[in-house]
Amino acid sequence: MAFSAALKYLFSFRPQTSRRYAWVDYAKGIAIIFVTYRHVIYGLLYSGAKVNTMLMDANEIMYGFRMPLFFFLSGLFFASSLQKRGGRNFLTSKVNTLLYPYILWCLIQLTLQIIFSKYTNSKPSINDYVDIIIHPRSMLQLWYLFALFNVSVFYLFTTRILKLTPPVQILLGLVLLGLKPYAGDISTISDVMIYYIYFALGHFATPYFFRDSVQKQLTSPIKVILLVPVFILVQYYCMEHVNMSLYLYSLLNLLGGILVIMISFILAKYNRLSFLQTIGHYSLYIYLLHLGIIFSLRIIIIKTGFFTNITVIALSLVAIGIFLSILLYRLCLLLNLRFLFIGPFKERKVSDLPKDNRQVSVP
């Protein structure tokens, strides 16, 4: 690739996906910004910085619905992905895009934390390598990849082997949610129990969600305006009642996800703030890379005193952390380092699949 073309590729923020499903990337873009913001705030807090109440409250408002939204969106496209790929290729895809990078980046991240433990907030040891499988929540942001992999594979099993229908899947999700307290400290299990319901709801919503009449309602600015104060009140209630029922908390989380989806539909319809679509397209790689980047930037900013206002520091770390994550990912691709993000396992050719699995079902 020519140098000028490489530079254009590295620094372009033009949307990467088609207009039809642009709203999905908008939603992922908004959610990954919220994820990055939380990690920035807690990184500053654990490093001794005085984080003001406004920044902490903003984090709490954006906290509950971010990860459920990712699982709901994955469930929304489960049926079409399964019919397009078939069960075996679906599983291979999840190993390549979720399990492989999870294990690889856990090994990289944990090893670096041990080597540079003098400068990190946590003090891991060699024994923590076991937690990669047993307690992924200790792997900082990476736990999500393992949770989504486990939920996807378990959902594939219950759909293809146990033949559970979407309504029954929702009932299973509710049962798992109720059993969550019995999972103890094994977050490999508890994460499936918490997020299975959102994946199931996404799958259940698929036939209705993509109807023109439903999407017309989702692109209504008036409904978004009316929903915003309700969302704020709900978030305030959640902040004041931290020990509420897990069922109620999960139900209230859906409201935030719906609001983000509606905003995403509107932004996609009018082609506004398209950089959010680009961020969403790279959300998985931002998720993998941003923590190390904002950690390094935080040390530089605090040590040099380049910024002194904590709000400016936080927002700068979010923006620069996301931008550099995308830049670093693209640079890795240019350097033929794709193996850092995608596993090597080959999917079967479409021509080798049973006829039932060759047709793509577009919701």
Side-chain angles (χ1 to χ4, degrees), residues 128-288:
D128 290 320
Y129 283 106
V130 177
D131 284 340
I132 292 176
I133 301 300
I134 303 299
H135 188 43
R137 285 279 180 165
S138 65
M139 298 295 109
L140 300 177
Q141 87 287 7
L142 295 172
W143 68 268
Y144 159 72
L145 300 179
F146 199 39
L148 183 55
F149 172 79
N150 290 330
V151 168
S152 300
V153 172
F154 187 37
Y155 202 91
L156 175 66
F157 171 78
T158 56
T159 299
R160 295 296 291 267
I161 305 301
L162 301 184
K163 307 296 183 181
L164 299 187
T165 60
V168 178
Q169 293 281 21
I170 292 177
L171 290 176
L172 176 59
L174 292 173
V175 171
L176 291 174
L177 200 59
L179 293 175
K180 188 266 175 184
Y182 299 99
D185 196 39
I186 306 177
S187 57
T188 298
I189 298 175
S190 63
D191 284 337
V192 173
M193 292 177 166
I194 293 172
Y195 293 105
Y196 193 91
I197 183 65
Y198 300 109
F199 196 101
L201 285 169
H203 184 206
F204 177 81
T206 301
Y208 314 99
F209 196 86
F210 292 94
R211 290 178 181 174
D212 291 339
S213 58
V214 173
Q215 295 201 357
K216 184 178 180 180
Q217 298 298 318
L218 292 172
T219 55
S220 169
I222 299 299
K223 288 184 171 60
V224 169
I225 293 172
L226 293 175
L227 194 58
V228 167
V230 178
F231 166 76
I232 293 174
L233 289 174
V234 165
Q235 294 306 309
Y236 178 77
Y237 179 84
C238 291
M239 290 167 62
E240 293 296 315
H241 300 82
V242 293
N243 294 319
M244 74 174 71
S245 161
L246 191 56
Y247 285 108
L248 178 59
Y249 183 68
S250 300
L251 177 64
L252 295 178
N253 281 339
L254 291 174
L255 180 63
I258 292 171
L259 180 59
V260 169
I261 288 173
M262 293 178 71
I263 292 172
S264 300
F265 265 107
I266 293 171
L267 292 174
K269 179 180 179 180
Y270 296 102
N271 196 25
R272 297 289 188 266
L273 303 179
S274 58
F275 70 90
L276 290 174
Q277 185 183 349
T278 301
I279 291 173
H281 178 75
Y282 291 100
S283 59
L284 177 60
Y285 312 113
I286 294 171
Y287 204 91
L288 285 171

